[in-house]
Amino acid sequence: MTTDPDSNYQKTKSRALGLLGKGQAEAARELLSAVLPEGSDDAELLFALGVANGMLGNYPDAEKSLRMAAGIAPGLAHVHYTLGKALKAQDKLEAAVESLSTACRMEPGNAAIRNDLCNTLLAHGQPREALAHIQQATMLAPDNPDYHYNLGNVSGYLGLRDQAISAYQRAVALKPDFRSARIALGDALLGAGELDAAIATYKPVLAENPADPGALVGMAAVLDKQGNFREASDLLAPLLDAGRADAFAAATFAGFSHHIDREDDAVRLAEQTLENPHLRATERARLCFALGRIHDRKGQFDGAFRHYSAGNALRRSDF
């Protein structure tokens, strides 16, 4: 009795897709690599192989398979969408925008695609276009707290503080334990000068975790604005271990250090913190701006210009 090769192929295909559906990316990739013939025109399996490689962080191979799948089946939005994410993971932003925009044109009612397109556009230096897509995402999925949080981030980036506050409030209302949204809301309220509202926003976070760095930095910034500089310094002390300081804590400390005669300590701490290779771009930018202001106060304008320029270059690259 002979075995039907096509039947075996279909069984192996089903098994591979099943493994991928269970999140077993390594096993799925091995099986898919074995079953896919050279020059295969099976877009479904090429897509699956791309997904498996993406799950494993192997983005160049993911891109290769997904491009092949998109060439074979150009009308599948999910293929262009996944390709766009693989491209963004490699910082190929222009190509990522193109792929995600293609997916969005195919499925304009897909909020997830618009959300990822928003993030990619922002990283590519197109904040206004990003805002339009995240606004659409929140209208398409009004009960998704992540989209409202993202709307707050983009609005804040564009200086639309009231809109940012409203978006963060919506995210927190939908998900009261959404720590990142609550911290961002507190920070936005702080920036608007609404100190009591900011305190009320940080307090639930600190009640759950008294050592939460975001809430501690926010509360220290409130104390700074109230002129309670020593109290602010004491609050930040646990976060200011030399060489591994929390970046936002170090930047906040630098902001009021001249009031407690500790500017030299603040500069040293900020520079040590900048040596941490794991800092995100937003953290580096915050430290650069803090150092720029200290140099400015001291009349060291070359140093101020250098740090301000570095901060501006970093500011948009972490989205």
Side-chain angles (χ1 to χ4, degrees), residues 80 95-106 113 117 121 133:
H80 294 282
V97 167
E98 182 179 350
S99 289
L100 291 168
S101 296
T102 298
C104 191
R105 285 193 295 273
M106 291 178 177
I113 293 175
L117 180 54
L121 285 164
H133 284 288

Side-chain angles (χ1 to χ4, degrees), residues 54 59-60 62-63 66 81-91:
Y59 299 113
E63 177 190 346
L66 291 165
Y81 175 39
T82 309
L83 173 58
K85 293 197 291 184
L87 290 164
K88 184 176 185 290
Q90 299 173 80
D91 290 325

Side-chain angles (χ1 to χ4, degrees), residues 173-230:
L174 288 166
K175 187 178 177 182
D177 63 346
F178 195 164
R179 175 201 170 272
S180 296
R182 193 171 283 279
I183 297 295
L185 174 58
D187 292 347
L189 291 165
L190 177 63
E194 298 181 33
L195 303 189
D196 290 341
I199 292 169
T201 303
Y202 295 132
K203 276 188 173 180
V205 181
L206 289 171
E208 185 167 326
N209 178 13
D212 186 282
L216 285 175
V217 170
M219 289 295 287
V222 170
L223 291 168
D224 174 14
K225 285 185 176 290
Q226 293 174 333
N228 299 317
F229 308 117
R230 294 286 177 187

Side-chain angles (χ1 to χ4, degrees), residues 25-106:
E26 184 68 50
R29 181 177 67 175
E30 290 180 8
L31 195 56
L32 288 165
S33 298
V35 73
L36 271 169
E38 189 71 26
S40 173
D41 61 355
D42 191 327
E44 183 181 18
L45 280 196
L46 286 166
F47 171 73
L49 181 58
V51 171
N53 275 311
M55 290 170 66
L56 294 167
N58 188 355
Y59 299 113
D61 282 351
E63 177 190 346
K64 180 181 176 181
S65 297
L66 291 165
R67 283 194 182 282
M68 291 172 66
I72 295 164
L76 299 178
H78 65 277
V79 175
H80 294 282
Y81 175 39
T82 309
L83 173 58
K85 293 197 291 184
L87 290 164
K88 184 176 185 290
Q90 299 173 80
D91 290 325
K92 296 180 178 181
L93 297 179
E94 187 171 350
V97 167
E98 182 179 350
S99 289
L100 291 168
S101 296
T102 298
C104 191
R105 285 193 295 273
M106 291 178 177

Side-chain angles (χ1 to χ4, degrees), residues 3 14 16 29 32 34 74 97 120 134 137 172 250 257 261 276 282 285 312:
T3 302
S14 296
R29 181 177 67 175
L32 288 165
V97 167
T120 308
I134 195 59
V172 170
S257 60
D261 196 26
N276 180 355
T282 46
N312 282 320

